[in-house]
Amino acid sequence: NLVPLLEEEDIIIDGGNSYFKDSMEIYKKLKSKGINFLDCGTSGGLEGARNGGSVMVGGDKEAFERVEQLFQDLSINCNYIGEAGAGHLAKGGHNHLEYIVMDGIAEAIITTQKIARDHGIHIDIKTLVKAYAKGTITEGKLMNYLMSGMNRGDFESISGSVPIGETEKEMEEITLLADTPMLKQALVTRRASRIIPSEKGKIIAAMRREFGGHSVNKTT
C-alpha cells in the first residue's frame, strides 16, 4: 500500500516483531521497484520506548547509513546486523533468549518453594525474588520486573495462564529451523498454562506485564 506513494531510493523501515523470512521476501519485492527496505528488530519494552532501547537493523548497508542518525536518536544501542532479514532474525534470537530466561526464572523459584515445603521450610516468594534481584550474578531487568510485579497489590489475583503473545508463532517457527530444546520447553510451559493454570505461568505473566504492558488473566 505504501509503494504508490513512494519514489525510487525511498526507504521503508519495519520496526515490528516481524518474521525474518517475511522481511527477506518484502525486501526482494521492494528492491525490484527501486525502494529500500530495512528490517529493524526493536527491544526494550515500555521503558525502551520512553528512554531508548536496542535496535537491530538488517538490509542494504548504504540505506542504513542514510538513516543511521534516526536509529541513534531513538535508541541507546544501535547495531547494523547484516543483509535483509538479519535485523528481524536477531530480534527473533533475542525473543528466543527471553522465553528461555523467563521460563528458567519461574522454574527455579517454584522448584525452590516446592522443595522447601516438602522439607517443612517456609520461604516467602517475594523475599526469595528480592534476594535474587540484587547483588547476585542473576540480577537484571527481568528479576527487577518480577519483583515489581509481585509488589503490585493484585499479584495474587493473576491467573497462572500466560496469554498468547505476538512473538509466539515466530518462536514456534524457530523450533522448526534448529535444535531448540529449551525454547520448546518454554513454549510447552506457556501452552500448558492455558489448559491448567500454574505458578510458573503466574510468574511469567507478571514479568510480561511489567516490561511490555502485556495483558494478564485474573482469577475469578
Side-chain angles (χ1 to χ4, degrees):
N1 293 334
L2 286 173
V3 169
L5 307 175
L6 302 179
E7 300 175 355
E8 285 194 13
E9 298 304 318
D10 280 350
I11 301 172
I12 294 176
I13 301 169
D14 178 357
N17 273 314
S18 301
Y19 186 44
F20 80 99
K21 285 188 176 182
D22 295 336
S23 299
M24 293 174 73
E25 288 302 313
I26 292 170
Y27 168 86
K28 291 177 185 176
K29 290 177 182 178
L30 292 173
K31 192 71 173 176
S32 68
K33 301 177 185 298
I35 297 169
N36 295 289
F37 179 75
L38 296 175
D39 52 285
C40 174
T42 307
S43 182
L46 300 175
E47 182 181 334
R50 296 186 181 102
N51 303 309
S54 174
V55 295
M56 311 155 216
V57 187
D60 292 342
K61 192 166 187 180
E62 183 275 333
F64 166 76
E65 289 173 345
R66 283 172 53 196
V67 292
E68 182 176 2
Q69 189 59 53
L70 171 65
F71 292 123
Q72 296 285 2
D73 290 343
L74 289 172
S75 69
I76 58 172
N77 184 16
C78 170
N79 293 277
Y80 172 74
I81 304 297
E83 296 85 0
H88 283 152
L89 178 57
K91 181 53 166 52
H94 167 275
N95 294 339
H96 180 164
L97 180 60
E98 178 186 298
Y99 273 56
I100 291 170
V101 174
M102 291 174 70
D103 196 67
I105 288 172
E107 178 180 294
I109 291 168
I110 296 307
T111 298
T112 301
Q113 275 214 307
K114 178 189 182 302
I115 294 172
R117 285 194 302 269
D118 291 347
H119 290 78
I121 301 170
H122 172 72
I123 293 180
D124 177 71
I125 190 170
K126 293 181 181 179
T127 304
L128 184 64
V129 170
K130 182 181 177 184
Y132 292 164
K134 188 174 183 180
T136 74
I137 62 171
T138 60
E139 71 176 342
K141 283 191 172 183
L142 285 174
M143 290 301 305
N144 287 332
Y145 284 134
L146 177 55
M147 188 164 60
S148 296
M150 286 184 163
N151 287 332
R152 285 200 191 202
D154 67 345
F155 175 71
E156 296 303 328
S157 68
I158 295 176
S159 165
S161 173
V162 183
I164 296 176
E166 64 175 354
T167 60
E168 197 161 319
K169 186 176 184 298
E170 179 189 10
M171 291 301 97
E172 290 170 353
E173 294 279 354
I174 294 295
T175 66
L176 303 176
L177 302 177
D179 185 25
T180 58
M182 290 189 288
L183 177 57
K184 287 178 180 176
Q185 180 54 53
L187 288 166
V188 166
T189 295
R190 295 187 181 212
R191 288 193 293 262
S193 78
R194 293 166 201 147
I195 301 170
I196 303 175
S198 64
E199 287 299 307
K200 283 181 70 175
K202 176 184 283 194
I203 289 172
I204 292 169
M207 279 189 278
R208 293 178 74 250
R209 179 173 68 173
E210 294 303 305
F211 69 72
H214 301 289
S215 64
V216 296
N217 297 322
K218 296 293 189 73
T219 56
T220 55

